[in-house]
Amino acid sequence: MKRDLTFFINALKNDVQLSNKTFGLLGHSFGGMATIGVVQNGIKIDFLIQWATPTEKYGKSMKYQLESGLFDFNSTLKFDDKHKKLEIMDVVSKVVENNLTDDNKTLRKKLDKETKKHGYKRKNWVRFKYYTATPTLDLIRQNYEETYKNIDIPLFYIIGSEDKFVSPKDNTELLNTFNNNNIETRIFKGLNHYLTIGEINPIKIRKTPILYDIDNEALEEIIEWTLSK
């Protein structure tokens, strides 16, 4: 995704008809990880809006999804005790953090060895282990903290207070600890991951036609902030 987005941005910036235009990016959820990723890779833009983007490193957002009750992870972490699932998640994140240069095959072997020590055995998953899928492993590898700390363009981080996919408290607090004057954060009271009101069923997301029909107050604030840049 980052590679495609990088190509797209460069194509626009090289268009002579757009040479005097302001370029900004808005990324929602994991899409926000793609937009901060292109900034990390050195692509120059003028502003960035991060909408309910996981800012915490090494897959911590998945732990929050378990804690918030959004997902139970029963197919990949078959334990009666939620704390045991969180323990295995922590073990996986630590192994990944300590072996970031490993290819996925080598990394999975190390994960197999370490998680087995913590009681993660064949009976504890249905078809695949927690870290088998490449997208999951790639997500756990992500760490954009230094990019956020040093970002030198305006960044607006927005999230709903009722978000069960990404922790409103933990992610905004992390950004605020960086004391970067370029970063503004805003938690919209009563809104969910899509800045709407009500519960979101993750199983039926693709069949929900108005997911991005966001709250008027949130929309107006996004537009106002964007026009000020």
Side-chain angles (χ1 to χ4, degrees), residues 10-50:
N10 283 332
L12 289 177
K13 292 173 76 71
N14 290 328
D15 188 326
V16 293
Q17 298 183 66
L18 303 175
S19 59
N20 63 342
K21 300 297 183 181
T22 298
F23 284 87
L25 293 173
L26 183 154
H28 177 233
S29 197
F30 292 151
M33 297 179 77
T35 59
I36 192 66
V38 300
V39 173
Q40 185 182 66
N41 290 345
I43 298 299
K44 301 298 182 183
I45 56 175
D46 299 298
F47 65 87
L48 181 63
I49 299 175
Q50 297 272 271

Side-chain angles (χ1 to χ4, degrees), residues 138-222:
D138 288 345
L139 175 61
I140 298 172
R141 289 179 183 271
Q142 302 307 305
N143 178 6
Y144 298 108
E145 287 193 7
E146 287 301 314
T147 305
Y148 284 118
K149 284 180 184 178
N150 300 300
I151 198 163
D152 58 0
I153 60 171
L155 186 153
F156 192 26
Y157 186 88
I158 55 177
I159 192 168
S161 66
E162 306 307 306
D163 197 319
K164 292 187 177 181
F165 289 81
V166 179
S167 171
K169 179 178 182 291
D170 293 343
N171 285 272
T172 53
E173 285 185 355
L174 175 65
L175 291 176
N176 292 335
T177 62
F178 297 151
N179 295 315
N180 185 330
N181 291 330
N182 293 304
I183 298 176
E184 299 177 51
T185 62
R186 176 76 157 90
I187 299 177
F188 292 97
K189 187 175 181 179
L191 301 185
N192 58 37
H193 187 60
Y194 291 88
L195 294 182
T196 57
I197 295 174
E199 292 285 332
I200 295 293
N201 186 332
I203 306 301
K204 297 181 179 180
I205 281 178
R206 293 183 181 179
K207 297 180 180 180
T208 306
I210 55 172
L211 266 179
Y212 287 100
D213 187 15
I214 71 176
D215 176 80
N216 284 335
E217 179 188 357
L219 179 59
E220 289 173 4
E221 194 159 330
I222 293 168

Side-chain angles (χ1 to χ4, degrees), residues 57-60 62-63 85-102 107-108 110-115 118 130-131 136-137 139-143:
K57 60 187 177 181
Y58 306 133
K60 193 171 181 181
M62 290 189 287
K63 286 183 59 181
K85 296 180 182 182
L86 292 169
E87 177 190 336
I88 300 302
M89 286 178 162
D90 280 335
V91 170
V92 171
S93 295
K94 194 64 178 178
V95 172
V96 171
E97 180 181 2
N98 291 334
N99 298 277
L100 289 173
T101 59
D102 285 355
L107 183 55
R108 287 190 185 99
K110 292 180 180 179
L111 286 166
D112 288 344
K113 181 178 180 181
E114 192 61 29
T115 56
H118 290 260
Y130 169 65
Y131 47 82
T136 300
L137 208 50
L139 175 61
I140 298 172
R141 289 179 183 271
Q142 302 307 305
N143 178 6

